[in-house]
Structures are given as structure tokens and as C-alpha cells.
Amino acid sequence: MRAIWRLQHCKNFISLNKLNSQTLPLGLFSIPSFRFRVAISAKSHISTASFISPSNRQETVMSESKPQEEAKPVENVETKTEEELPPLSDHEFKIYNRAADHMEYFHNNFRRSWNLLWNACANNRRPQGMSLKQFIMEGLQFAEHLTMHHNIEETYIFPVLAKKMPEFRGGRAELLRQHKQIHAGLDHFEEYLKKCRTGDEEFELSVLKTKMETWGEVLWKHLDQEVETLGANNMRKYWTKEEVMRLPM
């Protein structure tokens, strides 16, 4: 059941190893001697207070990325309201909340990376001890991991959830719309950092800040809303405990 998430880790390692064979503090992973390890505990606390919502957001262009195949909803799926459902025991809550726990682990990593990049832009100063090359790599890794995370969700996870849950059904679902809005800004962010890495553009923190302002608010909303949607109180409306255990997460 966890093979999909491991696939994300492995692909990240292979692609990033091509960029630099030395050990760098690259956010989610470090890469010493052709190995990788998770650098952040799933239980770590990530502060969300450092992101400042931009006052003048530009209208973003919707990304063209979309799931490979739209799942067909299962007809006559019976859902129950919270009033009709009995209280959950601690064990039952843990089972129903397992998808949210998995998702929160990855989302905490994205929050940490965003905060590192955003705080540097807001303070007009890179983190102490981090070279320009390392900082650019941090941003590129953040973009690559987030893109791969969304591709895995839309290819393997959302089509399964959409069979019973309208929150993941069709291109008009809010969580899928948020993916498109995020990538409308993320693509420009990544393109700028790639040009800075190759020397085609001179890196400036003020410019990077403008590349983050247009999609930061929707990113943070998405990171919270997706976990809430996968939480126990919502999942139990659509799935049995046995079905939840078989979900590809």
C-alpha cells in the first residue's frame, strides 16, 4: 500500500542525483554517497506564521496538467451524515485518519521548504551558511517534489477516492482546481530558478519573491484543505474500515 509514496522518494533521488553528487542540505532529503534519508520527522512541528499573504495578487493562468484518466463515480454510493454515525473509538479514528496522516507528513515537508524560501525573500537574506547554489537547489527540489507529489495524486490516488467522494471527482473539483492554480505560478518559479542555475539570469531574492506571491495563498489553503478532506470524520462517511485499509496510501 505504501509503494506509491516510496516511488515518489526514489524518483526524487534519481533526478536530483544528476544535478549534484555532493551532499547538500536540500530540504526534504540529503544525498550522501548515493543514498537518501528523510531529514524531517513526520511528527515535526512546522510553523505556518511566516507566510504573509500578498495584498496584490496577479491573476494566474490555469495549468494544463491534469489526471491521466478521470475516474467514473460509483453510482448509488450511500453516504451518512455525522448525526447518523456513532462515535469513533481511538482505534477506529486512527484507521480512518491514516490517509490524512500520510498526507500531512508530505505537506509538512512542503510547508518547511516554502517557509525557508519565503523567509529568505522577505528578509532579503539567504539562510546562514547556505550558498547561492544550495539555495537555488532548495527551490528546484521543492518544485520538483511538489510536481511529482501532485502527479502521483492525480494518477493513482484521486481516481480511487473519486469513486465515492465528490471532492475528488472531475476537473471541477476544488482540490483539482487548486492544483492547476498552484502550478500556474510554480512553473514560472521553477523556470526562473533554472535560468539562474545556468547563468542565463542573475538571481535576485526580490524577483524570486514575486514568483512566489501569486500562488502562495492557494498553496497553503490546499495543504490544509486536502488533509481535512482525508480526515477521519469525512472519510467514515464514504468508506468502511476495511476499504480505508486497502486505499493506495
Side-chain angles (χ1 to χ4, degrees):
M1 303 294 284
R2 300 181 180 176
I4 294 172
W5 302 105
R6 292 174 180 169
L7 172 63
Q8 180 179 0
H9 285 194
C10 292
K11 287 186 176 180
N12 287 340
F13 163 66
I14 293 171
S15 58
L16 290 172
N17 191 47
K18 294 178 180 179
L19 296 177
N20 196 324
S21 60
Q22 298 179 350
T23 300
L24 297 176
L26 299 178
L28 299 183
F29 302 95
S30 60
I31 311 176
S33 303
F34 299 96
R35 295 184 301 170
F36 70 93
R37 54 186 173 85
V38 176
I40 301 175
S41 168
K43 300 296 183 181
S44 61
H45 175 71
I46 307 298
S47 172
T48 62
S50 59
F51 172 64
I52 303 174
S53 177
S55 57
N56 296 318
R57 288 178 293 154
Q58 299 178 353
E59 183 178 355
T60 57
V61 181
M62 301 298 281
S63 169
E64 296 181 357
S65 61
K66 57 184 179 180
Q68 291 183 358
E69 182 178 355
E70 182 176 329
K72 296 181 180 179
V74 176
E75 296 183 0
N76 300 324
V77 174
E78 182 179 352
T79 61
K80 298 180 180 180
T81 63
E82 292 189 29
E83 291 77 10
E84 297 174 330
L85 296 169
L88 292 174
S89 67
D90 291 343
H91 178 67
E92 290 172 329
F93 181 88
K94 185 176 181 180
I95 292 175
Y96 276 112
N97 208 58
R98 64 188 298 271
D101 289 338
H102 277 276
M103 194 65 70
E104 184 72 351
Y105 167 77
F106 288 99
H107 286 193
N108 277 343
N109 286 332
F110 295 135
R111 292 184 182 105
R112 187 210 64 82
S113 292
W114 172 278
N115 278 341
L116 185 149
L117 297 163
W118 178 263
N119 288 339
C121 293
N123 298 326
N124 198 32
R125 183 175 58 190
R126 295 193 307 273
Q128 185 175 3
M130 181 175 286
S131 68
L132 176 58
K133 181 179 180 180
Q134 291 172 333
F135 186 79
I136 291 175
M137 287 287 291
E138 176 78 30
L140 288 173
Q141 184 189 40
F142 168 65
E144 183 178 355
H145 285 180
L146 186 56
T147 298
M148 184 172 293
H149 178 79
H150 287 170
N151 287 342
I152 290 174
E153 285 181 333
E154 294 183 6
T155 303
Y156 300 104
I157 309 299
F158 287 3
V160 176
L161 296 174
K163 292 178 180 179
K164 289 192 175 185
M165 302 177 72
E167 296 94 332
F168 300 95
R169 190 174 300 155
R172 292 179 294 177
E174 184 175 2
L175 291 172
L176 287 168
R177 290 202 309 270
Q178 290 170 354
H179 276 193
K180 294 179 180 180
Q181 292 168 351
I182 289 168
H183 286 276
L186 178 64
D187 292 346
H188 294 298
F189 167 88
E190 185 176 20
E191 181 183 8
Y192 172 69
L193 288 177
K194 285 181 177 179
K195 289 181 178 179
C196 292
R197 186 185 63 187
T198 59
D200 293 331
E201 286 198 29
E202 183 177 353
F203 177 81
E204 295 183 28
L205 285 168
S206 59
V207 175
L208 184 64
K209 186 172 184 286
T210 65
K211 304 293 184 182
M212 299 177 72
E213 287 175 334
T214 58
W215 54 284
E217 187 172 334
V218 67
L219 171 67
W220 283 75
K221 178 181 179 181
H222 178 77
L223 295 177
D224 292 337
Q225 185 174 335
E226 192 172 74
V227 171
E228 182 180 356
T229 302
L230 294 173
N233 290 330
N234 192 47
M235 294 292 283
R236 66 187 302 219
K237 299 176 186 177
Y238 304 98
W239 309 91
T240 66
K241 292 192 294 290
E242 292 74 21
E243 289 172 335
V244 168
M245 294 298 295
R246 292 196 296 268
L247 291 176
M249 300 183 70

